Amino acid sequence: MGPKCWFILTLLMFQGLFISHSQAQEDFDFFYLVLQWPGAYCDTKRSCCYPTAGKPAADFGIHGLWPNYKDGSYPSNCNPDSEFDKSQITDLVSRLKKTWPTLACPSNEGFKFWEHEWEKHGTCSESVMDQHEYFENSLKLRDRANLLEALTNSGIKPDDKFYDLEKIREAIKDAIGFTPGIECNKDPERNSQLHQIYICVDTSGTEFIECPILPRERCPSRLQFAKF
């Protein structure tokens, strides 16, 4: 193969890699709506801090709406130029404080949390929604899932008691129509507790779907539902 052919081949390979990389930044297969139980977040060896507005309600709060690929990987920080702009979500702030509360220390309003989620995950969904739509859709999806009601209607309550993992899964599936992913963490006594629920959402960011892939679970057959 002559020098000219090598040059053309190398150029084509470079272009192919560039196109693949660019697409990887913009395309995704589905979202995870990740909802966290505040009792489990706070009941660990690390400390938690209530937001400046005060202790959040004892209900599932939003962690994020995360674009994902079917192979289990995910894009992140897709557009450094698309900075979080709180003026874009002024009409949503009161709802965000209630249902997307920060529990990180030191205590704060929540803007740092929302900024992180937008810049890491939201910027990878700009092909289908802008910043306002990203947060508004997340709020709507969380309200539609209504996880605490789904669980309490099945007799599963945040009372520090232990419940069967499969009964938790079935209670949520019966309510939303799709199988959720369930994530646990451990309290200071090393008890496994219900921490986060993963619900899959289509690429429009508006409809629940069956998960193409579920996150790896590290939950035992019985787990604690912590008080908050």
Side-chain angles (χ1 to χ4, degrees):
M1 186 180 295
K4 185 175 181 180
C5 292
W6 273 114
F7 173 78
I8 293 172
L9 181 61
T10 302
L11 182 62
L12 288 172
M13 289 175 64
F14 175 80
Q15 288 177 333
L17 287 171
F18 178 76
I19 292 170
S20 175
H21 179 68
S22 299
Q23 289 176 339
Q25 286 189 324
E26 296 174 2
D27 298 341
F28 58 95
D29 298 319
F30 67 99
F31 289 98
Y32 280 133
L33 173 69
V34 187
L35 303 174
Q36 65 181 1
W37 180 248
Y41 183 97
C42 290
D43 189 21
T44 63
K45 289 183 177 179
R46 71 177 178 187
S47 59
C48 78
C49 293
Y50 298 155
T52 52
K55 182 179 179 180
D59 203 346
F60 284 88
I62 300 168
H63 185 169
L65 185 63
W66 303 346
N68 266 258
Y69 300 127
K70 290 179 180 178
D71 65 3
S73 63
Y74 60 91
S76 64
N77 302 98
C78 293
N79 185 1
D81 295 326
S82 182
E83 296 181 352
F84 177 73
D85 179 2
K86 65 175 67 176
S87 70
Q88 300 276 332
I89 57 168
T90 304
D91 61 314
L92 302 176
V93 168
S94 61
R95 293 169 63 195
L96 288 167
K97 287 182 176 181
K98 181 180 178 181
T99 59
W100 198 328
T102 179
L103 292 167
C105 296
S107 178
N108 64 91
E109 288 185 281
F111 288 105
K112 289 181 180 179
F113 186 19
W114 308 327
E115 177 181 19
H116 168 78
E117 291 300 311
W118 167 253
E119 292 183 352
K120 182 174 181 180
H121 301 288
T123 56
C124 300
S125 64
E126 287 184 290
S127 59
V128 293
M129 64 181 90
D130 60 24
Q131 190 170 145
H132 186 275
E133 290 168 331
Y134 175 78
F135 288 100
E136 185 175 39
N137 286 349
S138 300
L139 291 167
K140 289 178 178 178
L141 290 165
R142 180 263 179 198
D143 290 347
R144 193 189 311 169
N146 203 357
L147 292 182
L148 185 60
E149 181 176 285
L151 292 171
T152 55
N153 285 348
S154 295
I156 300 167
K157 303 174 182 178
D159 53 10
D160 279 347
K161 292 183 180 179
F162 287 78
Y163 296 93
D164 290 343
L165 172 63
E166 290 308 314
K167 288 184 178 179
I168 294 172
R169 195 192 317 276
E170 285 303 315
I172 297 172
K173 183 178 180 180
D174 288 346
I176 67 172
F178 301 100
T179 303
I182 299 175
E183 183 177 271
C184 295
N185 65 3
K186 291 185 182 292
D187 68 11
E189 289 74 41
R190 306 298 295 168
N191 294 311
S192 290
Q193 53 187 358
L194 179 62
H195 180 213
Q196 296 197 129
I197 305 295
Y198 290 70
I199 301 172
C200 290
V201 179
D202 69 358
T203 51
S204 74
T206 60
E207 299 296 333
F208 296 143
I209 59 171
E210 202 63 56
C211 285
I213 185 171
L214 288 168
R216 184 182 300 175
E217 294 184 357
R218 295 183 176 86
C219 295
S221 59
R222 286 179 62 80
L223 54 145
Q224 191 175 39
F225 196 3
K227 290 180 181 180
F228 182 63

